[in-house]
Amino acid sequence: MALLKQAKPRYQDCILPSFPKLPSSRWPSRGHHFASFRNSTPSKSFILKASLSDPKTCRDANFRPLANFSPSIWKDTFASIPHLQSEIESCVKQVEELKEVVKEMLIAATDDPAENVLLIDTLCRLGVSYQFETEIEQQLIHIFESYANLPDNHDYDLYTIALLFRVLRQHGFKMPCDVFNKFKDENGKFKESLICDVKGMLSLYQATHLSMHGEDILDEALAFTTGHLPSLATNSSPHLAKHICEALEQPFYTGIPRLETLKFIPFYEQDESRNETLLKFSKLDFNKMQILYQQELRLVTSWWNDLNLISEYPYSRDRVVELYFWCVAEYFESRYSRARVMLTKILMILTVMDDTYDAYGTLDELQCFTQAIERWDIEALNELPDYMKSLYIAILNLYDELDDELSKEGRSYGVACTKDTLKELVRAYLVEAQHFREGVVPPFEERLDNAVITACPFFVPAASFIGMGEVAGIDAFDWIRSRPQMLISTCIIGRLRADMVSHEAEQRRGHVASVVEAYMKENGISREETIEKFEIMIDNAWKDVNEGCMRPTAVAMPLVTVILNVARIGEVFYKKVDGITNPQHFKHYIKQLFVDPI
């Protein structure tokens, strides 16, 4: 059967003059390979409900462990947001004018490194530091190179030392942890007098989350501050108490940057020492970025609706908005607009694949689909069940369009790497399906190894990098292929967090034994004890991630930041529930980020 060729993807000028170009809503389009099989939606009579009262059910060849995922809560919300050209242009103009004022503030550095770092940190927490990367880099290099003399030249308090430590490490400068020794007593314990310093205790607490292996003093500092901050919050002003409670719930460093900005702007607004120019600039910039996000959401929503997969695969999760939020969490800056659009499309197709393996397909069907992905050949279509054909076509179309686009830039190697990691991913999906149908609970290490692969340690970075332009050269994809520990540890965080909050619901509907069940069975311990062990594993994984962020980094810092943000996604998206599966969990955040301006 001949392929139905289609015009190459085109790009349109974005409404905001300061923003990069966006792919058109037609990119990538449907029907690149075939227009057939569009009416092959699984019939209701074909869908078998899971019945877990009989343990033999899961071994039935026709068993389909349906999850009955809730529908999208957004529908056409973002397809109907209007363009307000005059307001857009006014917002952009004001941002550019204030940007020059703030830039002058940043360049006019004082002789006190602490004041300069405080300004840099404020810009970071207000979400606008990306506008001044060169200026910030130059200042931090100078401060780091002279940090050895800081204790001699300045009698800094706990708040300031912890701030210097955190900001330098956040930017990849490995400031030594022994700067905190001065705050210990003769018994090697943190001084009790520090407990009265609320500001210093909170600053130290935030700094401890950038610890690495062997830095026991930071582990001690975390236990010390965590033990005292709750009571300090109860005796603080409501303004400060809320700030402390939010930090204990989600430390700044491990939080998603855009959400942390949402929390910090109202706190800063009530701070008596606030700078009105910085506050106004951050609000305007946030609203400007929100307009760009709305444009991108229109594009991906239109593409998703045109693709029509959700009507053909009703068992799957319709989460285009939530997955776009995931992409903003990875890289929120305006220069990564194309990358966000590309990645959202990739993740939406992946979600249908994931749910096909996890919540619908029979083992025979999944084996056929895995073989088809391995072949990556349109001729494999004839060997698939009818209902799988539209999905297979959509996959080939998407990657053909990606390959066409990146070939123009001489970067098609990125798409090749993404395909290879996708093949590895579906093999891991199939292993889980086999274990479930066979009723197998493998040893914990074996289960974790496969579960980490299904958490996409190599696929998501590859898919994230392809839209980032020249910063993601062939060396970046070679790094992914080398399977660095940083990538594996990032997905250990996400996998353990996800299974900790979702394993009970998954077992009720019928699902492969999670890493939680595997660990409990192997060690003969309770769920509560298992969670305690997992928290230690997560802490160790974070130390691996932090080490990977220190200079000199294996790849460019923007790429390292993406991986760091994936670890943060694991912490936030699976904090209490699976935020993708349960869309109500993020409804408030999504409205704040993408609907309601500040």
Side-chain angles (χ1 to χ4, degrees):
M1 189 180 293
L3 303 185
L4 299 181
K5 293 296 183 180
Q6 190 155 321
K8 299 292 185 182
R10 295 178 299 157
Y11 288 82
Q12 63 184 15
D13 288 329
C14 191
I15 289 176
L16 298 181
S18 64
F19 288 158
K21 292 183 177 181
L22 292 175
S24 74
S25 60
R26 295 179 57 198
W27 182 92
S29 54
R30 56 189 289 200
H32 185 76
H33 280 295
F34 295 95
S36 58
F37 308 110
R38 285 295 171 191
N39 297 315
S40 58
T41 306
S43 66
K44 290 190 180 351
S45 62
F46 189 48
I47 298 176
L48 303 179
K49 298 291 184 182
S51 174
L52 299 182
S53 59
D54 181 357
K56 296 180 180 179
T57 300
C58 64
R59 291 190 284 277
D60 187 314
N62 295 317
F63 175 69
R64 300 185 186 279
L66 292 181
N68 296 316
F69 296 120
S70 60
S72 171
I73 61 176
W74 299 105
K75 298 183 180 179
D76 293 327
T77 299
F78 296 99
S80 59
I81 290 179
H83 290 289
L84 300 173
Q85 186 66 25
S86 60
E87 292 186 18
I88 293 169
E89 292 176 352
S90 174
C91 182
V92 170
K93 182 180 179 181
Q94 291 180 73
V95 167
E96 290 304 312
E97 289 174 352
L98 283 176
K99 179 179 177 180
E100 293 306 311
V101 176
V102 175
K103 185 175 181 179
E104 290 180 10
M105 292 170 54
L106 190 57
I107 293 174
T110 68
D111 293 332
D112 185 355
E115 290 187 24
N116 302 331
V117 167
L118 177 59
L119 175 58
I120 290 170
D121 184 54
T122 302
L123 293 174
C124 290
R125 303 200 69 170
L126 289 172
V128 294
S129 60
Y130 75 99
Q131 301 265 31
F132 313 102
E133 289 178 348
T134 301
E135 294 79 12
I136 289 173
E137 175 81 359
Q138 291 172 350
Q139 286 205 27
L140 290 180
I141 288 174
H142 174 72
I143 292 170
F144 181 69
E145 289 176 347
S146 60
Y147 81 85
N149 299 319
L150 292 182
D152 297 330
N153 299 333
H154 303 275
D155 185 23
Y156 289 140
D157 59 8
L158 176 62
Y159 166 80
T160 305
I161 289 290
L163 176 68
L164 286 164
F165 178 88
R166 176 172 60 80
V167 172
L168 283 166
R169 284 211 172 181
Q170 279 175 201
H171 289 82
F173 298 97
K174 191 177 179 181
M175 187 173 182
C177 60
D178 60 12
V179 294
F180 295 110
N181 284 332
K182 64 181 287 188
F183 301 107
K184 285 191 167 187
D185 59 24
E186 61 276 7
N187 297 317
K189 304 292 185 181
F190 280 98
K191 297 174 182 177
E192 289 296 315
S193 59
L194 297 174
I195 299 172
C196 299
D197 180 6
V198 180
K199 192 177 176 182
M201 290 285 282
L202 182 57
S203 184
L204 177 59
Y205 168 79
Q206 296 282 21
T208 62
H209 293 87
L210 290 104
S211 67
M212 293 179 280
H213 293 289
E215 296 184 324
D216 295 342
I217 190 172
L218 293 179
D219 296 334
E220 295 166 15
L222 177 60
F224 177 67
T225 54
T226 303
H228 292 287
L229 279 171
S231 60
L232 291 175
T234 61
N235 296 315
S236 300
S237 67
H239 172 58
L240 182 57
K242 180 182 178 183
H243 192 53
I244 293 171
C245 291
E246 286 178 343
L248 290 170
E249 173 71 14
Q250 185 64 67
F252 168 67
Y253 177 69
T254 62
I256 290 173
R258 284 282 92 175
L259 295 186
E260 292 304 309
T261 294
L262 274 175
K263 290 191 292 186
F264 189 73
I265 287 177
F267 172 78
Y268 187 70
E269 192 169 26
Q270 297 179 50
D271 192 330
E272 293 180 355
S273 63
R274 67 185 178 275
N275 181 295
E276 294 293 348
T277 300
L278 291 184
L279 180 62
K280 183 178 180 181
F281 178 61
S282 66
K283 290 182 177 182
L284 285 168
D285 188 74
F286 185 93
N287 291 342
K288 183 195 77 169
M289 291 303 300
Q290 185 180 83
I291 295 168
L292 175 61
Y293 299 151
Q294 290 172 352
Q295 292 184 70
E296 294 170 4
L297 269 167
R298 264 194 301 270
L299 289 173
V300 295
T301 301
S302 176
W303 166 83
W304 182 240
N305 290 340
D306 288 346
L307 202 59
N308 200 35
L309 287 187
I310 200 60
S311 66
E312 299 191 42
Y313 299 95
Y315 56 79
S316 185
R317 289 164 291 179
D318 185 4
R319 300 291 185 267
V320 66
V321 176
E322 288 77 14
L323 287 172
Y324 174 77
F325 175 29
W326 174 298
C327 299
V328 171
E330 281 199 34
Y331 24 41
F332 71 87
E333 300 89 343
S334 55
R335 65 180 177 270
Y336 297 128
S337 179
R338 183 182 72 158
R340 285 190 294 273
V341 172
M342 285 184 174
L343 183 58
T344 304
K345 295 176 178 182
I346 292 170
L347 293 181
M348 280 307 302
I349 296 289
L350 180 66
T351 300
V352 181
M353 292 175 62
D354 184 9
D355 292 340
T356 300
Y357 278 87
D358 190 50
Y360 188 78
T362 67
L363 188 55
D364 287 345
E365 291 167 351
L366 298 178
Q367 289 171 335
C368 289
F369 193 82
T370 304
Q371 291 167 3
I373 293 294
E374 292 274 19
R375 285 179 60 184
W376 207 274
D377 183 355
I378 197 61
E379 295 300 323
L381 195 71
N382 298 324
E383 300 173 12
L384 290 175
D386 281 351
Y387 84 90
M388 287 182 160
K389 292 179 179 179
S390 290
L391 176 57
Y392 191 66
I393 291 166
I395 294 166
L396 297 188
N397 283 345
L398 177 61
Y399 286 87
D400 279 353
E401 297 284 0
L402 292 170
D403 195 50
D404 287 347
E405 186 62 28
L406 269 72
S407 292
K408 298 173 186 176
E409 306 169 12
R411 298 180 58 248
S412 58
Y413 48 77
V415 181
C417 181
T418 307
K419 288 180 183 178
D420 289 343
T421 56
L422 181 60
K423 293 176 182 180
E424 178 184 38
L425 180 57
V426 296
R427 290 195 293 268
Y429 283 159
L430 183 61
V431 169
E432 290 189 347
Q434 290 170 330
H435 284 168
F436 172 58
R437 267 66 176 191
E438 296 166 3
V440 171
V441 181
F444 172 71
E445 290 296 336
E446 179 185 336
R447 178 69 187 97
L448 180 62
D449 287 346
N450 196 75
V452 167
I453 296 299
T454 61
C456 307
F458 314 118
F459 176 78
V460 165
S464 302
F465 289 177
I466 58 176
M468 293 181 70
E470 294 181 358
V471 70
I474 194 169
D475 60 319
F477 294 94
D478 287 342
W479 179 64
I480 292 172
R481 292 182 187 278
S482 73
R483 309 171 78 87
Q485 185 61 46
M486 183 183 186
L487 298 188
I488 296 170
S489 294
T490 294
C491 282
I492 287 175
I493 294 168
R495 171 52 63 204
L496 296 184
R497 286 281 180 225
D499 280 14
M500 284 160 63
V501 299
S502 64
H503 77 102
E504 291 178 329
E506 288 178 340
Q507 294 308 306
R508 284 194 296 270
R509 72 170 173 85
H511 192 274
V512 65
S514 73
V515 293
V516 176
E517 279 85 27
Y519 197 88
M520 290 168 60
K521 179 180 178 181
E522 183 170 304
N523 295 280
I525 60 177
S526 67
R527 179 184 182 278
E528 290 69 26
E529 292 172 300
T530 298
I531 297 303
E532 291 179 5
K533 298 291 185 182
F534 280 14
E535 291 290 355
I536 295 172
M537 295 180 198
I538 290 170
D539 287 344
N540 285 326
W542 265 110
K543 293 178 191 298
D544 293 333
V545 173
N546 291 342
E547 287 182 351
C549 292
M550 294 300 108
R551 305 182 188 215
T553 54
V555 290
M557 188 60 75
L559 306 180
V560 171
T561 301
V562 168
I563 305 306
L564 171 61
N565 284 337
V566 173
R568 290 164 167 165
I569 288 169
E571 287 285 359
V572 176
F573 273 58
Y574 306 105
K575 189 76 175 181
K576 296 177 180 177
V577 299
D578 179 340
I580 299 296
T581 301
N582 302 279
Q584 288 288 345
H585 183 63
F586 284 133
K587 184 176 181 179
H588 176 65
Y589 290 139
I590 287 173
K591 283 195 67 179
Q592 286 185 298
L593 285 172
F594 306 138
V595 179
D596 301 327
I598 296 180

